[in-house]
Structure formats: structure tokens, C-alpha cells
Amino acid sequence: MKVSKAQAAENREGIVDAAARLYRQKGLDGVGVAEITRDAGLTHGGLYRHFESKDALAREACLRAFDWTITPLDGLGGPENANAAPTDRLHWLVQGYLSADHRDHPGEGCPAAALAADAARAGPEMSEVFAQGVERNIARFMEVLPGDDAAARRTQTIVTLSSMVGALVLARATAAGNPQLSEEILATLRGHLTAPSNAPRSTAEGGSGSGQSTAVKKR
């Protein structure tokens, strides 16, 4: 039976969404085409009507995965939070990212923590796609930080995101074998990244863009 263009587009979106979730959950090499199409409610052969190869699907799914939504990250820069203190915004973001729920549901979470090692081994095309996603995360994070020094905010964003991603990776890797250590890793980073000495301040609160104020404004 001939499939309409609208249905074909819907099927394609379903495949990409299923792949984005399953790849984060099981890794790029842990999921086969059959499982992806089955999850999307389609037949195995249906995938190759939409994608030239599994690698092409993996690249698109990886980019789609960076649309993930952890509530404290998305919307913190919105008008409803315009008057929120920088420390509050950082607290919400860190608490949401370094939570047991995020640790335990990689298929619905940050692809940087779920797929970084796979992307590094998957060749330059996947690396390029992954880099685009990481840049998107950096831009989203920077939007919620105070200060006029974009370079300073970008630097602190990279420091903070890298710390959170690393902590989440370690927490997931140790969760089954040593749950107490896993929880300790999350709690330690939550406390460190939201400590008063690491809290963000605006230019008006923290001064100009060098030295101590640089570290503050970046958050």
C-alpha cells in the first residue's frame, strides 16, 4: 500500500526518535536496525527507505538526541525566571542534571554523557555531528548565566558542563556495583558546583571581567 508523504515523514521522525533514545540507552553498537524499527512500529526494511545507511541514521539520531530536555536547563533564561538570582538558576540546573533520575534514565537524558565515548570511535562524520550538539548545549547553558563577558561565560560553561558530564558518566558506571559511591559522586559535584564560592554573579555584583570576577561571571 502506498504511503502518503505525510505518513512517510511521520515514520521517518519515529525512526529518528526511537534511535535517539535507544542509542543513548544502549550505545551506538548496542542497538540493531531491527530493534530501532520495531520500537518505531515499522518493519526492518522500512529504515532504508528513509536513510542511506545505519551510520546516516546514527548521525541524525545523535543530533536529535541533543534536543533532550532537562527542565532546569531549558527555560531558565525565559521571562518567568528573569528575576531569579544567578545562584538559583545554577542550583536548578545542577540539581536536575546530577540527579539520580537522570543517572538512571540515559535514554531520556544528555547525549554528551551517554554517547561521548561512542562518538569518539565512530569517525570524523559522527564527531562533527557530536560537536554540533555540544556547541548547542554550551549555547543553551550560556543563556542562563549573568555577565556581559561572553568569553568568560563560555569558559565557565565548558568547565561546568564538563564537570557535570564526567560526574554523570562515573555515577552511571558505578551505580550497579557500588550504589553508595555513585550517589556520593553526584552529591559531591552538586555541592561543589553550587557552593557560594562557585556561584555566578552579574557584572554589577562581581566587578569587571578578569581574575576572581571572571570565575564568578562564567557561572
Side-chain angles (χ1 to χ4, degrees):
M1 182 176 66
K2 184 175 177 60
V3 177
S4 69
K5 289 183 178 180
Q7 184 62 55
E10 183 178 336
N11 290 346
R12 191 181 193 283
E13 288 296 296
I15 292 171
V16 175
D17 286 340
R21 179 172 50 79
L22 290 170
Y23 283 143
R24 280 176 288 174
Q25 182 179 334
K26 300 183 178 184
L28 294 179
D29 294 328
V31 184
V33 169
E35 184 175 0
I36 292 170
T37 52
R38 182 169 60 250
D39 189 271
L42 302 170
T43 62
H44 184 161
L47 184 143
Y48 295 105
R49 287 195 291 270
H50 300 284
F51 304 93
E52 62 182 18
S53 67
K54 183 182 176 183
D55 288 343
L57 168 62
R59 291 191 295 271
E60 186 165 339
C62 180
L63 198 57
R64 174 68 57 82
F66 276 97
D67 290 337
W68 66 286
T69 300
I70 297 288
T71 299
L73 180 58
D74 294 283
L76 282 181
E80 68 278 10
N81 293 308
N83 296 322
T87 52
D88 289 337
R89 292 186 291 180
L90 178 66
H91 178 83
W92 298 332
L93 189 154
V94 171
Q95 292 293 322
Y97 193 98
L98 295 176
S99 65
D101 186 65
H102 191 194
R103 177 196 62 196
D104 297 340
H105 297 90
E108 305 298 332
C110 176
L115 295 173
D118 285 353
R121 293 189 290 262
E125 291 182 327
M126 176 60 80
S127 179
E128 181 180 357
V129 167
F130 197 82
Q132 292 175 22
V134 171
E135 283 284 7
R136 186 188 303 175
N137 269 5
I138 290 171
R140 291 160 72 196
F141 196 119
M142 285 180 65
E143 288 178 359
V144 308
L145 301 184
D148 299 324
D149 188 338
R153 288 190 295 122
R154 180 177 175 85
T155 296
Q156 193 58 47
T157 291
I158 291 173
V159 170
T160 304
L161 283 178
S162 298
S163 297
M164 293 198 303
V165 169
L168 188 61
V169 169
L170 290 178
R172 284 175 176 166
T174 56
N178 191 334
Q180 184 175 356
L181 175 59
S182 179
E183 292 289 347
E184 181 183 6
I185 291 168
L186 294 178
T188 298
L189 265 292
R190 286 196 302 265
H192 175 74
L193 293 175
T194 59
S197 60
N198 293 322
R201 289 186 292 171
S202 66
T203 302
E205 295 171 318
S208 60
S210 62
Q212 175 67 23
S213 63
T214 297
V216 170
K217 286 195 302 178
K218 294 170 186 175
R219 289 224 196 315

